[in-house]
Amino acid sequence: MPDITALAAFKDNYIWCLRQAELALIVDPGDAAVVQRYLQQQQLQLAVILITHHHPDHTGGINELKQLWPDAVVYAPALEQQKIPYADVWLQDNDRIELPDFSLTFQVMQLPGHTLGHIAYYSAPVLFCGDTLFNAGCGRLFEGSAAQMWQSLSRILTLPDQTLVYATHEYTLANLEFARWADPDNTKLADYQHWCQQQREQQQATLPTPLAVQRQINPFLRAGDAALQHRWQQHNAVDLFTALRSAKDRF
Ligand SMILES: [Zn+2]
């Protein structure tokens, strides 16, 4: 299992740092200073930067880090090339990234919805999914449609139960408030909310989270559930997902 640390940035972002010996791989460095401080403290060399999508809280540190670490290789989604300040390698769906220094191969998954070019990086069991899937929630639809986002989440649902979801925001407690309102018959939610509250009281992240847990508690992943569709008076997964997403936006 790779050694992965959450670096807290801004109000509620996590910048993920995966280390192998003295090398570091960083995901979505919105803030270069946060990353550089950690690298110095841990005496790590920055080797790889993975970018999931173009929003500044995910890309704001790229230029400064690339100046400090010119040999670091920056990967980013090709569909967002115009909006991302810099990358060495522009990626498309199903591209593979071989990282022998980390003994890892990542598969690129195109997951439109939050933004149109959004990608995730998967190397079992690790999924760096940016702002697509959150613990107990999902990303807002800034560019894509509800149908696109449901298709993207459905693709994540094809991954194994033991997949670990490394999302980039700690929105969990607010998401769980909505989940309990939206899915009140779900008996798993109360216990899980209690566990997450304890984690946060101890300043611990509620991420990563196993996909097996998300399948049970995340209403946005349960849009295909017949009982939940019935409760919401919706007739298919896309319609329920659409209703849930717009209810959450107003919650
Ligand atoms: Zn975003």
Side-chain angles (χ1 to χ4, degrees):
M1 185 57 207
D3 176 348
I4 304 177
T5 304
L7 312 184
F10 307 117
K11 185 162 159 274
D12 47 30
N13 284 62
Y14 290 131
I15 299 171
W16 295 106
C17 175
L18 185 157
R19 65 188 290 174
Q20 174 64 46
E22 78 292 354
L23 297 179
L25 173 152
I26 295 284
V27 184
D28 286 350
D31 186 339
V34 167
V35 175
Q36 184 59 11
R37 200 178 311 132
Y38 183 76
L39 296 175
Q40 267 173 355
Q41 189 188 76
Q42 300 288 319
Q43 300 191 311
L44 294 170
Q45 297 166 32
L46 180 56
V48 175
I49 295 176
L50 304 180
I51 301 294
T52 62
H53 67 293
H54 69 80
H55 287 157
D57 61 318
H58 299 251
T59 59
I62 298 174
N63 282 340
E64 196 179 331
L65 289 171
K66 184 70 184 178
Q67 274 165 13
L68 289 164
W69 302 95
D71 294 338
V73 182
V74 183
Y75 297 85
L79 286 177
E80 300 191 345
Q81 192 161 0
Q82 306 302 323
K83 295 175 178 168
I84 291 173
Y86 178 88
D88 297 291
V89 183
W90 298 101
L91 298 164
Q92 294 180 342
D93 195 21
N94 293 319
D95 279 352
R96 293 173 78 79
I97 306 172
E98 309 277 350
L99 300 174
D101 291 346
F102 291 86
S103 308
L104 288 173
T105 300
F106 282 98
Q107 183 204 333
V108 174
M109 298 169 73
Q110 193 84 50
L111 299 175
H114 179 69
T115 67
L116 284 174
H118 198 301
I119 60 175
Y121 299 85
Y122 176 61
S123 178
V126 175
L127 178 69
F128 293 121
C129 60
D131 288 354
T132 302
L133 178 63
F134 295 128
N135 189 339
C138 76
R140 282 177 181 266
L141 304 178
F142 284 118
E143 297 174 15
S145 67
Q148 277 175 318
M149 185 60 126
W150 171 245
Q151 196 176 7
S152 294
L153 295 179
S154 299
R155 197 166 166 196
I156 292 175
L157 283 169
T158 66
L159 299 176
D161 270 351
Q162 62 270 27
T163 301
L164 293 173
V165 176
Y166 288 81
T168 40
H169 289 278
E170 180 65 61
Y171 291 155
T172 311
L173 294 184
N175 286 341
L176 283 167
E177 290 296 319
F178 174 77
R180 291 203 67 180
W181 173 81
D183 191 8
D185 299 333
N186 190 335
T187 54
K188 301 271 195 292
L189 271 167
D191 284 349
Y192 189 65
Q193 185 179 35
H194 183 66
W195 180 83
C196 289
Q197 282 164 343
Q198 284 181 328
Q199 287 288 104
R200 297 307 295 145
E201 277 163 18
Q202 295 159 25
Q203 276 96 48
Q204 300 293 312
T206 63
L207 294 160
T209 174
L211 187 56
V213 171
Q214 293 305 307
R215 286 189 214 280
Q216 294 183 323
I217 61 95
N218 191 322
F220 296 97
L221 293 184
R222 288 172 31 75
D225 182 84
L228 194 57
Q229 285 174 13
H230 183 72
R231 170 172 270 283
W232 278 72
Q233 298 180 303
Q234 302 294 329
H235 302 293
N236 60 58
V238 173
D239 287 351
L240 176 54
F241 178 81
T242 307
L244 287 168
R245 187 59 262 177
S246 76
K248 176 67 166 65
D249 290 344
R250 289 179 271 108
F251 190 70

